[in-house]
Amino acid sequence: TPQATPQAENDKINALLEYCIEPRSREEIQEFMGLKDRKHFRLEILNPLIQEGKLFLTIPDKPNSPNQKYYSYLKDPNHV
């Protein structure tokens, strides 16, 4: 299958960040993105967004907690 264009990828990521204004579980985010492969999602999307400071953990001291949720500051005027 052809690779998505960079603009299409940016649109997907922006939609994900907007969706995560409310804290969401990995399962919720993955379903929102329409992705079934948990490992691919974690390695290629979730972890890079966390490392780039675009997504944050609700329980930062327990990153593997089953209660972990992720959120963004997309609409927060105090964050860019």
Side-chain angles (χ1 to χ4, degrees):
T1 60
Q3 293 292 318
T5 64
Q7 183 59 48
E9 286 297 313
N10 283 342
D11 290 348
K12 286 182 184 178
I13 297 301
N14 287 335
L16 180 152
L17 294 174
E18 192 164 325
Y19 179 68
C20 291
I21 289 169
E22 294 290 323
R24 309 284 184 172
S25 68
R26 181 200 46 79
E27 293 89 354
E28 289 174 308
I29 300 169
Q30 213 174 308
E31 185 175 315
F32 175 78
M33 297 289 288
L35 300 171
K36 297 193 185 305
D37 185 333
R38 182 163 93 179
K39 184 178 179 183
H40 168 78
F41 173 74
R42 192 170 28 84
L43 293 175
E44 300 297 324
I45 297 172
L46 193 60
N47 288 348
L49 288 173
I50 293 166
Q51 291 167 354
E52 292 169 16
K54 293 180 180 179
L55 273 184
F56 303 89
L57 289 72
T58 57
I59 313 170
D61 55 331
K62 295 184 181 179
N64 297 320
S65 168
N67 298 319
Q68 187 65 259
K69 293 194 176 188
Y70 306 89
Y71 65 97
S72 71
Y73 283 121
L74 193 63
K75 300 260 188 207
D76 186 332
N78 298 316
H79 293 83
V80 177

